[in-house]
mmCIF file with all atom_site columns, all heavy atoms in Angstrom:
data_model
loop_
_atom_site.group_PDB
_atom_site.id
_atom_site.type_symbol
_atom_site.label_atom_id
_atom_site.label_alt_id
_atom_site.label_comp_id
_atom_site.label_asym_id
_atom_site.label_entity_id
_atom_site.label_seq_id
_atom_site.pdbx_PDB_ins_code
_atom_site.Cartn_x
_atom_site.Cartn_y
_atom_site.Cartn_z
_atom_site.occupancy
_atom_site.B_iso_or_equiv
_atom_site.pdbx_formal_charge
_atom_site.auth_seq_id
_atom_site.auth_comp_id
_atom_site.auth_asym_id
_atom_site.auth_atom_id
_atom_site.pdbx_PDB_model_num
ATOM 1   N N   . CYS A 1 1  ? 3.909   6.218   5.729   1.00 97.00 ? 1  CYS A N   1
ATOM 2   C CA  . CYS A 1 1  ? 3.274   6.670   4.504   1.00 97.00 ? 1  CYS A CA  1
ATOM 3   C C   . CYS A 1 1  ? 2.281   7.752   4.891   1.00 97.00 ? 1  CYS A C   1
ATOM 4   O O   . CYS A 1 1  ? 1.188   7.455   5.388   1.00 97.00 ? 1  CYS A O   1
ATOM 5   C CB  . CYS A 1 1  ? 2.596   5.492   3.802   1.00 97.00 ? 1  CYS A CB  1
ATOM 6   S SG  . CYS A 1 1  ? 1.763   5.897   2.267   1.00 97.00 ? 1  CYS A SG  1
ATOM 7   N N   . ALA A 1 2  ? 2.668   8.984   4.678   1.00 96.00 ? 2  ALA A N   1
ATOM 8   C CA  . ALA A 1 2  ? 1.880   10.121  5.117   1.00 96.00 ? 2  ALA A CA  1
ATOM 9   C C   . ALA A 1 2  ? 1.067   10.683  3.965   1.00 96.00 ? 2  ALA A C   1
ATOM 10  O O   . ALA A 1 2  ? 1.605   10.978  2.895   1.00 96.00 ? 2  ALA A O   1
ATOM 11  C CB  . ALA A 1 2  ? 2.783   11.199  5.697   1.00 96.00 ? 2  ALA A CB  1
ATOM 12  N N   . ALA A 1 3  ? -0.207  10.846  4.190   1.00 94.00 ? 3  ALA A N   1
ATOM 13  C CA  . ALA A 1 3  ? -1.112  11.410  3.199   1.00 94.00 ? 3  ALA A CA  1
ATOM 14  C C   . ALA A 1 3  ? -1.312  12.888  3.461   1.00 94.00 ? 3  ALA A C   1
ATOM 15  O O   . ALA A 1 3  ? -1.549  13.299  4.602   1.00 94.00 ? 3  ALA A O   1
ATOM 16  C CB  . ALA A 1 3  ? -2.454  10.692  3.221   1.00 94.00 ? 3  ALA A CB  1
ATOM 17  N N   . SER A 1 4  ? -1.212  13.663  2.408   1.00 90.00 ? 4  SER A N   1
ATOM 18  C CA  . SER A 1 4  ? -1.429  15.094  2.513   1.00 90.00 ? 4  SER A CA  1
ATOM 19  C C   . SER A 1 4  ? -2.700  15.468  1.769   1.00 90.00 ? 4  SER A C   1
ATOM 20  O O   . SER A 1 4  ? -2.985  14.939  0.687   1.00 90.00 ? 4  SER A O   1
ATOM 21  C CB  . SER A 1 4  ? -0.241  15.878  1.962   1.00 90.00 ? 4  SER A CB  1
ATOM 22  O OG  . SER A 1 4  ? -0.048  15.620  0.578   1.00 90.00 ? 4  SER A OG  1
ATOM 23  N N   . GLY A 1 5  ? -3.422  16.373  2.334   1.00 82.00 ? 5  GLY A N   1
ATOM 24  C CA  . GLY A 1 5  ? -4.667  16.824  1.754   1.00 82.00 ? 5  GLY A CA  1
ATOM 25  C C   . GLY A 1 5  ? -5.574  17.358  2.837   1.00 82.00 ? 5  GLY A C   1
ATOM 26  O O   . GLY A 1 5  ? -5.346  17.135  4.027   1.00 82.00 ? 5  GLY A O   1
ATOM 27  N N   . SER A 1 6  ? -6.587  18.044  2.422   1.00 80.00 ? 6  SER A N   1
ATOM 28  C CA  . SER A 1 6  ? -7.526  18.625  3.367   1.00 80.00 ? 6  SER A CA  1
ATOM 29  C C   . SER A 1 6  ? -8.785  17.772  3.455   1.00 80.00 ? 6  SER A C   1
ATOM 30  O O   . SER A 1 6  ? -9.260  17.225  2.450   1.00 80.00 ? 6  SER A O   1
ATOM 31  C CB  . SER A 1 6  ? -7.882  20.058  2.964   1.00 80.00 ? 6  SER A CB  1
ATOM 32  O OG  . SER A 1 6  ? -8.500  20.092  1.687   1.00 80.00 ? 6  SER A OG  1
ATOM 33  N N   . LYS A 1 7  ? -9.285  17.643  4.659   1.00 87.00 ? 7  LYS A N   1
ATOM 34  C CA  . LYS A 1 7  ? -10.542 16.943  4.912   1.00 87.00 ? 7  LYS A CA  1
ATOM 35  C C   . LYS A 1 7  ? -10.544 15.546  4.322   1.00 87.00 ? 7  LYS A C   1
ATOM 36  O O   . LYS A 1 7  ? -11.443 15.155  3.567   1.00 87.00 ? 7  LYS A O   1
ATOM 37  C CB  . LYS A 1 7  ? -11.710 17.758  4.366   1.00 87.00 ? 7  LYS A CB  1
ATOM 38  C CG  . LYS A 1 7  ? -11.818 19.151  4.956   1.00 87.00 ? 7  LYS A CG  1
ATOM 39  C CD  . LYS A 1 7  ? -12.977 19.922  4.347   1.00 87.00 ? 7  LYS A CD  1
ATOM 40  C CE  . LYS A 1 7  ? -13.064 21.325  4.918   1.00 87.00 ? 7  LYS A CE  1
ATOM 41  N NZ  . LYS A 1 7  ? -14.175 22.104  4.311   1.00 87.00 ? 7  LYS A NZ  1
ATOM 42  N N   . ILE A 1 8  ? -9.532  14.789  4.666   1.00 90.00 ? 8  ILE A N   1
ATOM 43  C CA  . ILE A 1 8  ? -9.408  13.430  4.168   1.00 90.00 ? 8  ILE A CA  1
ATOM 44  C C   . ILE A 1 8  ? -9.354  12.445  5.327   1.00 90.00 ? 8  ILE A C   1
ATOM 45  O O   . ILE A 1 8  ? -9.054  12.814  6.460   1.00 90.00 ? 8  ILE A O   1
ATOM 46  C CB  . ILE A 1 8  ? -8.159  13.259  3.287   1.00 90.00 ? 8  ILE A CB  1
ATOM 47  C CG1 . ILE A 1 8  ? -6.892  13.541  4.096   1.00 90.00 ? 8  ILE A CG1 1
ATOM 48  C CG2 . ILE A 1 8  ? -8.235  14.169  2.073   1.00 90.00 ? 8  ILE A CG2 1
ATOM 49  C CD1 . ILE A 1 8  ? -5.617  13.223  3.357   1.00 90.00 ? 8  ILE A CD1 1
ATOM 50  N N   . SER A 1 9  ? -9.642  11.211  5.012   1.00 90.00 ? 9  SER A N   1
ATOM 51  C CA  . SER A 1 9  ? -9.529  10.140  5.982   1.00 90.00 ? 9  SER A CA  1
ATOM 52  C C   . SER A 1 9  ? -9.115  8.867   5.260   1.00 90.00 ? 9  SER A C   1
ATOM 53  O O   . SER A 1 9  ? -9.531  8.622   4.130   1.00 90.00 ? 9  SER A O   1
ATOM 54  C CB  . SER A 1 9  ? -10.844 9.925   6.736   1.00 90.00 ? 9  SER A CB  1
ATOM 55  O OG  . SER A 1 9  ? -11.885 9.565   5.844   1.00 90.00 ? 9  SER A OG  1
ATOM 56  N N   . ILE A 1 10 ? -8.312  8.081   5.911   1.00 92.00 ? 10 ILE A N   1
ATOM 57  C CA  . ILE A 1 10 ? -7.857  6.820   5.340   1.00 92.00 ? 10 ILE A CA  1
ATOM 58  C C   . ILE A 1 10 ? -8.910  5.757   5.581   1.00 92.00 ? 10 ILE A C   1
ATOM 59  O O   . ILE A 1 10 ? -9.303  5.498   6.716   1.00 92.00 ? 10 ILE A O   1
ATOM 60  C CB  . ILE A 1 10 ? -6.514  6.399   5.948   1.00 92.00 ? 10 ILE A CB  1
ATOM 61  C CG1 . ILE A 1 10 ? -5.441  7.437   5.604   1.00 92.00 ? 10 ILE A CG1 1
ATOM 62  C CG2 . ILE A 1 10 ? -6.112  5.019   5.456   1.00 92.00 ? 10 ILE A CG2 1
ATOM 63  C CD1 . ILE A 1 10 ? -4.118  7.200   6.276   1.00 92.00 ? 10 ILE A CD1 1
ATOM 64  N N   . ILE A 1 11 ? -9.351  5.138   4.497   1.00 91.00 ? 11 ILE A N   1
ATOM 65  C CA  . ILE A 1 11 ? -10.392 4.128   4.590   1.00 91.00 ? 11 ILE A CA  1
ATOM 66  C C   . ILE A 1 11 ? -9.795  2.728   4.623   1.00 91.00 ? 11 ILE A C   1
ATOM 67  O O   . ILE A 1 11 ? -10.075 1.940   5.527   1.00 91.00 ? 11 ILE A O   1
ATOM 68  C CB  . ILE A 1 11 ? -11.382 4.268   3.421   1.00 91.00 ? 11 ILE A CB  1
ATOM 69  C CG1 . ILE A 1 11 ? -12.047 5.655   3.465   1.00 91.00 ? 11 ILE A CG1 1
ATOM 70  C CG2 . ILE A 1 11 ? -12.438 3.167   3.482   1.00 91.00 ? 11 ILE A CG2 1
ATOM 71  C CD1 . ILE A 1 11 ? -12.921 5.949   2.265   1.00 91.00 ? 11 ILE A CD1 1
ATOM 72  N N   . THR A 1 12 ? -9.007  2.413   3.627   1.00 94.00 ? 12 THR A N   1
ATOM 73  C CA  . THR A 1 12 ? -8.315  1.142   3.591   1.00 94.00 ? 12 THR A CA  1
ATOM 74  C C   . THR A 1 12 ? -6.850  1.395   3.297   1.00 94.00 ? 12 THR A C   1
ATOM 75  O O   . THR A 1 12 ? -6.485  2.431   2.745   1.00 94.00 ? 12 THR A O   1
ATOM 76  C CB  . THR A 1 12 ? -8.887  0.177   2.543   1.00 94.00 ? 12 THR A CB  1
ATOM 77  O OG1 . THR A 1 12 ? -8.704  0.733   1.233   1.00 94.00 ? 12 THR A OG1 1
ATOM 78  C CG2 . THR A 1 12 ? -10.373 -0.058  2.788   1.00 94.00 ? 12 THR A CG2 1
ATOM 79  N N   . MET A 1 13 ? -6.017  0.441   3.636   1.00 95.00 ? 13 MET A N   1
ATOM 80  C CA  . MET A 1 13 ? -4.593  0.613   3.445   1.00 95.00 ? 13 MET A CA  1
ATOM 81  C C   . MET A 1 13 ? -3.949  -0.709  3.057   1.00 95.00 ? 13 MET A C   1
ATOM 82  O O   . MET A 1 13 ? -4.368  -1.777  3.510   1.00 95.00 ? 13 MET A O   1
ATOM 83  C CB  . MET A 1 13 ? -3.940  1.177   4.709   1.00 95.00 ? 13 MET A CB  1
ATOM 84  C CG  . MET A 1 13 ? -4.283  0.418   5.975   1.00 95.00 ? 13 MET A CG  1
ATOM 85  S SD  . MET A 1 13 ? -3.662  1.255   7.460   1.00 95.00 ? 13 MET A SD  1
ATOM 86  C CE  . MET A 1 13 ? -4.294  0.172   8.732   1.00 95.00 ? 13 MET A CE  1
ATOM 87  N N   . ASN A 1 14 ? -2.934  -0.594  2.239   1.00 97.00 ? 14 ASN A N   1
ATOM 88  C CA  . ASN A 1 14 ? -2.206  -1.755  1.753   1.00 97.00 ? 14 ASN A CA  1
ATOM 89  C C   . ASN A 1 14 ? -0.726  -1.421  1.662   1.00 97.00 ? 14 ASN A C   1
ATOM 90  O O   . ASN A 1 14 ? -0.346  -0.277  1.401   1.00 97.00 ? 14 ASN A O   1
ATOM 91  C CB  . ASN A 1 14 ? -2.687  -2.188  0.365   1.00 97.00 ? 14 ASN A CB  1
ATOM 92  C CG  . ASN A 1 14 ? -4.186  -2.328  0.270   1.00 97.00 ? 14 ASN A CG  1
ATOM 93  O OD1 . ASN A 1 14 ? -4.764  -3.269  0.809   1.00 97.00 ? 14 ASN A OD1 1
ATOM 94  N ND2 . ASN A 1 14 ? -4.830  -1.390  -0.415  1.00 97.00 ? 14 ASN A ND2 1
ATOM 95  N N   . TRP A 1 15 ? 0.077   -2.429  1.861   1.00 98.00 ? 15 TRP A N   1
ATOM 96  C CA  . TRP A 1 15 ? 1.496   -2.344  1.587   1.00 98.00 ? 15 TRP A CA  1
ATOM 97  C C   . TRP A 1 15 ? 1.868   -3.431  0.589   1.00 98.00 ? 15 TRP A C   1
ATOM 98  O O   . TRP A 1 15 ? 1.521   -4.601  0.777   1.00 98.00 ? 15 TRP A O   1
ATOM 99  C CB  . TRP A 1 15 ? 2.338   -2.509  2.848   1.00 98.00 ? 15 TRP A CB  1
ATOM 100 C CG  . TRP A 1 15 ? 2.361   -1.295  3.717   1.00 98.00 ? 15 TRP A CG  1
ATOM 101 C CD1 . TRP A 1 15 ? 1.579   -1.041  4.792   1.00 98.00 ? 15 TRP A CD1 1
ATOM 102 C CD2 . TRP A 1 15 ? 3.248   -0.170  3.579   1.00 98.00 ? 15 TRP A CD2 1
ATOM 103 N NE1 . TRP A 1 15 ? 1.902   0.168   5.346   1.00 98.00 ? 15 TRP A NE1 1
ATOM 104 C CE2 . TRP A 1 15 ? 2.923   0.726   4.621   1.00 98.00 ? 15 TRP A CE2 1
ATOM 105 C CE3 . TRP A 1 15 ? 4.272   0.163   2.694   1.00 98.00 ? 15 TRP A CE3 1
ATOM 106 C CZ2 . TRP A 1 15 ? 3.600   1.944   4.793   1.00 98.00 ? 15 TRP A CZ2 1
ATOM 107 C CZ3 . TRP A 1 15 ? 4.935   1.364   2.862   1.00 98.00 ? 15 TRP A CZ3 1
ATOM 108 C CH2 . TRP A 1 15 ? 4.595   2.239   3.900   1.00 98.00 ? 15 TRP A CH2 1
ATOM 109 N N   . TYR A 1 16 ? 2.553   -3.028  -0.453  1.00 98.00 ? 16 TYR A N   1
ATOM 110 C CA  . TYR A 1 16 ? 3.069   -3.937  -1.465  1.00 98.00 ? 16 TYR A CA  1
ATOM 111 C C   . TYR A 1 16 ? 4.588   -3.874  -1.460  1.00 98.00 ? 16 TYR A C   1
ATOM 112 O O   . TYR A 1 16 ? 5.183   -2.920  -0.952  1.00 98.00 ? 16 TYR A O   1
ATOM 113 C CB  . TYR A 1 16 ? 2.574   -3.560  -2.854  1.00 98.00 ? 16 TYR A CB  1
ATOM 114 C CG  . TYR A 1 16 ? 1.094   -3.758  -3.109  1.00 98.00 ? 16 TYR A CG  1
ATOM 115 C CD1 . TYR A 1 16 ? 0.168   -2.793  -2.740  1.00 98.00 ? 16 TYR A CD1 1
ATOM 116 C CD2 . TYR A 1 16 ? 0.632   -4.907  -3.745  1.00 98.00 ? 16 TYR A CD2 1
ATOM 117 C CE1 . TYR A 1 16 ? -1.179  -2.962  -2.993  1.00 98.00 ? 16 TYR A CE1 1
ATOM 118 C CE2 . TYR A 1 16 ? -0.713  -5.086  -4.005  1.00 98.00 ? 16 TYR A CE2 1
ATOM 119 C CZ  . TYR A 1 16 ? -1.618  -4.106  -3.628  1.00 98.00 ? 16 TYR A CZ  1
ATOM 120 O OH  . TYR A 1 16 ? -2.959  -4.272  -3.891  1.00 98.00 ? 16 TYR A OH  1
ATOM 121 N N   . ARG A 1 17 ? 5.185   -4.875  -2.055  1.00 98.00 ? 17 ARG A N   1
ATOM 122 C CA  . ARG A 1 17 ? 6.614   -4.830  -2.289  1.00 98.00 ? 17 ARG A CA  1
ATOM 123 C C   . ARG A 1 17 ? 6.939   -5.520  -3.599  1.00 98.00 ? 17 ARG A C   1
ATOM 124 O O   . ARG A 1 17 ? 6.198   -6.378  -4.066  1.00 98.00 ? 17 ARG A O   1
ATOM 125 C CB  . ARG A 1 17 ? 7.400   -5.463  -1.144  1.00 98.00 ? 17 ARG A CB  1
ATOM 126 C CG  . ARG A 1 17 ? 7.242   -6.973  -1.019  1.00 98.00 ? 17 ARG A CG  1
ATOM 127 C CD  . ARG A 1 17 ? 7.977   -7.472  0.216   1.00 98.00 ? 17 ARG A CD  1
ATOM 128 N NE  . ARG A 1 17 ? 7.893   -8.918  0.364   1.00 98.00 ? 17 ARG A NE  1
ATOM 129 C CZ  . ARG A 1 17 ? 8.323   -9.589  1.418   1.00 98.00 ? 17 ARG A CZ  1
ATOM 130 N NH1 . ARG A 1 17 ? 8.879   -8.933  2.440   1.00 98.00 ? 17 ARG A NH1 1
ATOM 131 N NH2 . ARG A 1 17 ? 8.206   -10.908 1.468   1.00 98.00 ? 17 ARG A NH2 1
ATOM 132 N N   . GLN A 1 18 ? 8.052   -5.121  -4.159  1.00 98.00 ? 18 GLN A N   1
ATOM 133 C CA  . GLN A 1 18 ? 8.505   -5.711  -5.402  1.00 98.00 ? 18 GLN A CA  1
ATOM 134 C C   . GLN A 1 18 ? 10.014  -5.857  -5.358  1.00 98.00 ? 18 GLN A C   1
ATOM 135 O O   . GLN A 1 18 ? 10.736  -4.864  -5.255  1.00 98.00 ? 18 GLN A O   1
ATOM 136 C CB  . GLN A 1 18 ? 8.082   -4.874  -6.609  1.00 98.00 ? 18 GLN A CB  1
ATOM 137 C CG  . GLN A 1 18 ? 8.386   -5.534  -7.939  1.00 98.00 ? 18 GLN A CG  1
ATOM 138 C CD  . GLN A 1 18 ? 7.691   -4.855  -9.100  1.00 98.00 ? 18 GLN A CD  1
ATOM 139 O OE1 . GLN A 1 18 ? 7.170   -3.745  -8.963  1.00 98.00 ? 18 GLN A OE1 1
ATOM 140 N NE2 . GLN A 1 18 ? 7.659   -5.510  -10.240 1.00 98.00 ? 18 GLN A NE2 1
ATOM 141 N N   . ALA A 1 19 ? 10.455  -7.087  -5.430  1.00 96.00 ? 19 ALA A N   1
ATOM 142 C CA  . ALA A 1 19 ? 11.872  -7.387  -5.482  1.00 96.00 ? 19 ALA A CA  1
ATOM 143 C C   . ALA A 1 19 ? 12.309  -7.490  -6.936  1.00 96.00 ? 19 ALA A C   1
ATOM 144 O O   . ALA A 1 19 ? 11.495  -7.751  -7.828  1.00 96.00 ? 19 ALA A O   1
ATOM 145 C CB  . ALA A 1 19 ? 12.175  -8.684  -4.739  1.00 96.00 ? 19 ALA A CB  1
ATOM 146 N N   . PRO A 1 20 ? 13.587  -7.296  -7.216  1.00 91.00 ? 20 PRO A N   1
ATOM 147 C CA  . PRO A 1 20 ? 14.066  -7.384  -8.593  1.00 91.00 ? 20 PRO A CA  1
ATOM 148 C C   . PRO A 1 20 ? 13.701  -8.708  -9.241  1.00 91.00 ? 20 PRO A C   1
ATOM 149 O O   . PRO A 1 20 ? 13.921  -9.780  -8.672  1.00 91.00 ? 20 PRO A O   1
ATOM 150 C CB  . PRO A 1 20 ? 15.580  -7.241  -8.449  1.00 91.00 ? 20 PRO A CB  1
ATOM 151 C CG  . PRO A 1 20 ? 15.763  -6.453  -7.196  1.00 91.00 ? 20 PRO A CG  1
ATOM 152 C CD  . PRO A 1 20 ? 14.670  -6.920  -6.283  1.00 91.00 ? 20 PRO A CD  1
ATOM 153 N N   . GLY A 1 21 ? 13.112  -8.626  -10.424 1.00 93.00 ? 21 GLY A N   1
ATOM 154 C CA  . GLY A 1 21 ? 12.721  -9.811  -11.157 1.00 93.00 ? 21 GLY A CA  1
ATOM 155 C C   . GLY A 1 21 ? 11.435  -10.449 -10.715 1.00 93.00 ? 21 GLY A C   1
ATOM 156 O O   . GLY A 1 21 ? 11.018  -11.455 -11.306 1.00 93.00 ? 21 GLY A O   1
ATOM 157 N N   . ASN A 1 22 ? 10.807  -9.910  -9.692  1.00 95.00 ? 22 ASN A N   1
ATOM 158 C CA  . ASN A 1 22 ? 9.576   -10.487 -9.161  1.00 95.00 ? 22 ASN A CA  1
ATOM 159 C C   . ASN A 1 22 ? 8.380   -9.606  -9.460  1.00 95.00 ? 22 ASN A C   1
ATOM 160 O O   . ASN A 1 22 ? 8.505   -8.411  -9.737  1.00 95.00 ? 22 ASN A O   1
ATOM 161 C CB  . ASN A 1 22 ? 9.684   -10.688 -7.652  1.00 95.00 ? 22 ASN A CB  1
ATOM 162 C CG  . ASN A 1 22 ? 10.661  -11.776 -7.263  1.00 95.00 ? 22 ASN A CG  1
ATOM 163 O OD1 . ASN A 1 22 ? 11.258  -12.424 -8.127  1.00 95.00 ? 22 ASN A OD1 1
ATOM 164 N ND2 . ASN A 1 22 ? 10.831  -11.974 -5.967  1.00 95.00 ? 22 ASN A ND2 1
ATOM 165 N N   . GLN A 1 23 ? 7.213   -10.218 -9.376  1.00 96.00 ? 23 GLN A N   1
ATOM 166 C CA  . GLN A 1 23 ? 5.980   -9.469  -9.475  1.00 96.00 ? 23 GLN A CA  1
ATOM 167 C C   . GLN A 1 23 ? 5.716   -8.728  -8.172  1.00 96.00 ? 23 GLN A C   1
ATOM 168 O O   . GLN A 1 23 ? 6.233   -9.094  -7.110  1.00 96.00 ? 23 GLN A O   1
ATOM 169 C CB  . GLN A 1 23 ? 4.810   -10.408 -9.787  1.00 96.00 ? 23 GLN A CB  1
ATOM 170 C CG  . GLN A 1 23 ? 4.867   -11.044 -11.160 1.00 96.00 ? 23 GLN A CG  1
ATOM 171 C CD  . GLN A 1 23 ? 4.626   -10.035 -12.252 1.00 96.00 ? 23 GLN A CD  1
ATOM 172 O OE1 . GLN A 1 23 ? 3.733   -9.199  -12.175 1.00 96.00 ? 23 GLN A OE1 1
ATOM 173 N NE2 . GLN A 1 23 ? 5.446   -10.103 -13.295 1.00 96.00 ? 23 GLN A NE2 1
ATOM 174 N N   . ARG A 1 24 ? 4.926   -7.707  -8.267  1.00 97.00 ? 24 ARG A N   1
ATOM 175 C CA  . ARG A 1 24 ? 4.523   -6.971  -7.082  1.00 97.00 ? 24 ARG A CA  1
ATOM 176 C C   . ARG A 1 24 ? 3.719   -7.878  -6.162  1.00 97.00 ? 24 ARG A C   1
ATOM 177 O O   . ARG A 1 24 ? 2.801   -8.582  -6.598  1.00 97.00 ? 24 ARG A O   1
ATOM 178 C CB  . ARG A 1 24 ? 3.701   -5.746  -7.474  1.00 97.00 ? 24 ARG A CB  1
ATOM 179 C CG  . ARG A 1 24 ? 3.352   -4.832  -6.308  1.00 97.00 ? 24 ARG A CG  1
ATOM 180 C CD  . ARG A 1 24 ? 2.537   -3.649  -6.782  1.00 97.00 ? 24 ARG A CD  1
ATOM 181 N NE  . ARG A 1 24 ? 1.269   -4.066  -7.360  1.00 97.00 ? 24 ARG A NE  1
ATOM 182 C CZ  . ARG A 1 24 ? 0.386   -3.245  -7.912  1.00 97.00 ? 24 ARG A CZ  1
ATOM 183 N NH1 . ARG A 1 24 ? 0.643   -1.940  -7.974  1.00 97.00 ? 24 ARG A NH1 1
ATOM 184 N NH2 . ARG A 1 24 ? -0.742  -3.718  -8.409  1.00 97.00 ? 24 ARG A NH2 1
ATOM 185 N N   . GLU A 1 25 ? 4.040   -7.855  -4.899  1.00 96.00 ? 25 GLU A N   1
ATOM 186 C CA  . GLU A 1 25 ? 3.444   -8.734  -3.907  1.00 96.00 ? 25 GLU A CA  1
ATOM 187 C C   . GLU A 1 25 ? 2.699   -7.916  -2.869  1.00 96.00 ? 25 GLU A C   1
ATOM 188 O O   . GLU A 1 25 ? 3.232   -6.938  -2.334  1.00 96.00 ? 25 GLU A O   1
ATOM 189 C CB  . GLU A 1 25 ? 4.530   -9.574  -3.224  1.00 96.00 ? 25 GLU A CB  1
ATOM 190 C CG  . GLU A 1 25 ? 4.037   -10.446 -2.082  1.00 96.00 ? 25 GLU A CG  1
ATOM 191 C CD  . GLU A 1 25 ? 5.165   -11.082 -1.298  1.00 96.00 ? 25 GLU A CD  1
ATOM 192 O OE1 . GLU A 1 25 ? 6.312   -10.594 -1.403  1.00 96.00 ? 25 GLU A OE1 1
ATOM 193 O OE2 . GLU A 1 25 ? 4.914   -12.073 -0.587  1.00 96.00 ? 25 GLU A OE2 1
ATOM 194 N N   . LEU A 1 26 ? 1.492   -8.327  -2.567  1.00 97.00 ? 26 LEU A N   1
ATOM 195 C CA  . LEU A 1 26 ? 0.740   -7.709  -1.488  1.00 97.00 ? 26 LEU A CA  1
ATOM 196 C C   . LEU A 1 26 ? 1.265   -8.248  -0.168  1.00 97.00 ? 26 LEU A C   1
ATOM 197 O O   . LEU A 1 26 ? 1.183   -9.450  0.099   1.00 97.00 ? 26 LEU A O   1
ATOM 198 C CB  . LEU A 1 26 ? -0.749  -7.989  -1.634  1.00 97.00 ? 26 LEU A CB  1
ATOM 199 C CG  . LEU A 1 26 ? -1.660  -7.417  -0.545  1.00 97.00 ? 26 LEU A CG  1
ATOM 200 C CD1 . LEU A 1 26 ? -1.591  -5.888  -0.521  1.00 97.00 ? 26 LEU A CD1 1
ATOM 201 C CD2 . LEU A 1 26 ? -3.100  -7.873  -0.755  1.00 97.00 ? 26 LEU A CD2 1
ATOM 202 N N   . VAL A 1 27 ? 1.758   -7.362  0.655   1.00 98.00 ? 27 VAL A N   1
ATOM 203 C CA  . VAL A 1 27 ? 2.369   -7.743  1.921   1.00 98.00 ? 27 VAL A CA  1
ATOM 204 C C   . VAL A 1 27 ? 1.359   -7.712  3.057   1.00 98.00 ? 27 VAL A C   1
ATOM 205 O O   . VAL A 1 27 ? 1.305   -8.628  3.887   1.00 98.00 ? 27 VAL A O   1
ATOM 206 C CB  . VAL A 1 27 ? 3.562   -6.820  2.243   1.00 98.00 ? 27 VAL A CB  1
ATOM 207 C CG1 . VAL A 1 27 ? 4.126   -7.124  3.628   1.00 98.00 ? 27 VAL A CG1 1
ATOM 208 C CG2 . VAL A 1 27 ? 4.638   -6.976  1.178   1.00 98.00 ? 27 VAL A CG2 1
ATOM 209 N N   . ALA A 1 28 ? 0.570   -6.652  3.123   1.00 98.00 ? 28 ALA A N   1
ATOM 210 C CA  . ALA A 1 28 ? -0.379  -6.479  4.206   1.00 98.00 ? 28 ALA A CA  1
ATOM 211 C C   . ALA A 1 28 ? -1.521  -5.613  3.732   1.00 98.00 ? 28 ALA A C   1
ATOM 212 O O   . ALA A 1 28 ? -1.329  -4.693  2.931   1.00 98.00 ? 28 ALA A O   1
ATOM 213 C CB  . ALA A 1 28 ? 0.286   -5.850  5.431   1.00 98.00 ? 28 ALA A CB  1
ATOM 214 N N   . THR A 1 29 ? -2.705  -5.896  4.231   1.00 96.00 ? 29 THR A N   1
ATOM 215 C CA  . THR A 1 29 ? -3.870  -5.123  3.851   1.00 96.00 ? 29 THR A CA  1
ATOM 216 C C   . THR A 1 29 ? -4.821  -5.017  5.027   1.00 96.00 ? 29 THR A C   1
ATOM 217 O O   . THR A 1 29 ? -4.944  -5.946  5.834   1.00 96.00 ? 29 THR A O   1
ATOM 218 C CB  . THR A 1 29 ? -4.592  -5.742  2.641   1.00 96.00 ? 29 THR A CB  1
ATOM 219 O OG1 . THR A 1 29 ? -5.695  -4.920  2.251   1.00 96.00 ? 29 THR A OG1 1
ATOM 220 C CG2 . THR A 1 29 ? -5.101  -7.143  2.961   1.00 96.00 ? 29 THR A CG2 1
ATOM 221 N N   . SER A 1 30 ? -5.481  -3.892  5.118   1.00 93.00 ? 30 SER A N   1
ATOM 222 C CA  . SER A 1 30 ? -6.471  -3.649  6.158   1.00 93.00 ? 30 SER A CA  1
ATOM 223 C C   . SER A 1 30 ? -7.689  -3.018  5.505   1.00 93.00 ? 30 SER A C   1
ATOM 224 O O   . SER A 1 30 ? -7.582  -1.967  4.869   1.00 93.00 ? 30 SER A O   1
ATOM 225 C CB  . SER A 1 30 ? -5.919  -2.738  7.250   1.00 93.00 ? 30 SER A CB  1
ATOM 226 O OG  . SER A 1 30 ? -6.891  -2.492  8.252   1.00 93.00 ? 30 SER A OG  1
#
């Protein structure tokens, strides 16, 4: 997951997933 922009920094990050018929699920967070 690549972020584009000038003078930026990643502070926190999350990965979610959503399977058919399911709610969005938080998979990993930092």
Side-chain angles (χ1 to χ4, degrees):
C1 180
S4 62
S6 61
K7 302 179 181 179
I8 62 172
S9 61
I10 297 174
I11 299 173
T12 64
M13 51 187 177
N14 310 287
W15 284 96
Y16 292 84
R17 69 185 182 187
Q18 187 167 13
N22 291 358
Q23 293 290 316
R24 186 180 62 183
E25 175 189 18
L26 179 62
V27 175
T29 183
S30 179

